[in-house]
Amino acid sequence: MRYATEVITWDDNSFHPLDNALANENAAHLEETYYISPLQDGTYAHLSRFRGDMAVARDLLSDTDAVLDLEGPTDQDGLAYLHTEPSPLLNELMTTLFEHEVVLKWPVTLLNGNPRGMRVTLIGTDESVSQALANSPPGVSVELERIGQFDGSVSPLLVSLTERQQEVLATAVSHGYYNMPRETTQAELA
């Protein structure tokens, strides 16, 4: 398996209204996205970490039509669930993953500067990683930071789970609990 870590930047506020809403705010920013799930209706569900004053972030995001729902901390930083409308650039970046059979290593780190950007790591075969890198969507700049053999080490998040928690997680995944729509319930898993 190959991996490529790259920095993707944009400077025309085209990535997403969510990013645009926080672009000029020093009191709060989006730090990392732990997962983005494309939904059947064309919208996205995100699990993201915010830093700073969540009250400020909530005010800014509530004024953004693209944010359909926000659940998370009410005062200071932490993880938040977001349900958002797509943007053309976000759709193009997600399509790159599907078209070139690469996996995105989570979390994605957001760069809060000028230009705006994110650091991502793609994992796949030599060919799929090369094709994904060569077919970046227009409107972004891509700088390759490093490329090499992926060592496949286990995520520190997974290692921090107890054996029982890992067993429950594996069972939930194998029975389709995280699929859309869900293929099982918590009661059935228990």
Side-chain angles (χ1 to χ4, degrees):
M1 276 184 292
R2 294 290 277 176
Y3 80 91
T5 299
E6 61 187 16
V7 172
I8 301 170
T9 57
W10 54 90
D11 56 13
D12 63 354
N13 294 327
S14 63
F15 178 62
H16 195 275
L18 170 70
D19 181 62
N20 299 343
L22 298 170
N24 297 314
E25 180 54 54
N26 292 326
H29 66 272
L30 186 57
E31 185 176 67
E32 292 178 312
T33 295
Y34 287 90
Y35 196 74
I36 298 176
S37 182
L39 304 178
Q40 289 178 342
D41 64 359
T43 61
Y44 289 101
H46 309 246
L47 180 62
S48 297
R49 175 173 297 286
F50 286 85
R51 286 277 181 222
D53 189 337
M54 271 307 289
V56 170
R58 281 178 180 280
D59 287 345
L60 291 169
L61 296 175
S62 67
D63 290 340
T64 304
D65 291 339
V67 178
L68 304 173
D69 196 9
L70 169 64
E71 293 285 330
T74 55
D75 51 4
Q76 284 306 99
D77 41 61
L79 286 177
Y81 162 86
L82 295 125
H83 180 201
T84 66
E85 293 285 350
S87 71
L89 183 53
L90 179 58
N91 280 340
E92 288 182 60
L93 288 169
M94 295 298 284
T95 299
T96 298
L97 297 176
F98 301 132
E99 286 181 349
H100 299 292
E101 301 172 6
V102 292
V103 174
L104 191 58
K105 185 176 183 231
W106 299 99
V108 169
T109 304
L110 283 293
L111 307 174
N112 296 293
N114 191 8
R116 309 285 293 161
M118 65 180 130
R119 179 173 285 108
V120 299
T121 299
L122 305 176
I123 303 166
T125 64
D126 285 338
E127 183 179 344
S128 65
V129 169
S130 295
Q131 287 178 352
L133 291 172
N135 291 293
S136 298
V140 299
S141 297
V142 177
E143 179 186 328
L144 185 62
E145 283 192 335
R146 56 189 175 275
I147 192 165
Q149 285 300 116
F150 183 69
D151 67 6
S153 61
V154 177
S155 162
L157 219 63
L158 186 59
V159 174
S160 68
L161 298 176
T162 67
E163 271 187 50
R164 178 68 177 143
Q165 289 170 326
Q166 289 179 27
E167 178 185 346
V168 169
L169 178 61
T171 301
V173 169
S174 70
H175 286 85
Y177 182 75
Y178 297 104
N179 292 353
M180 290 302 253
R182 285 196 169 129
E183 296 174 6
T184 190
T185 65
Q186 289 179 357
E188 290 170 336
L189 285 174

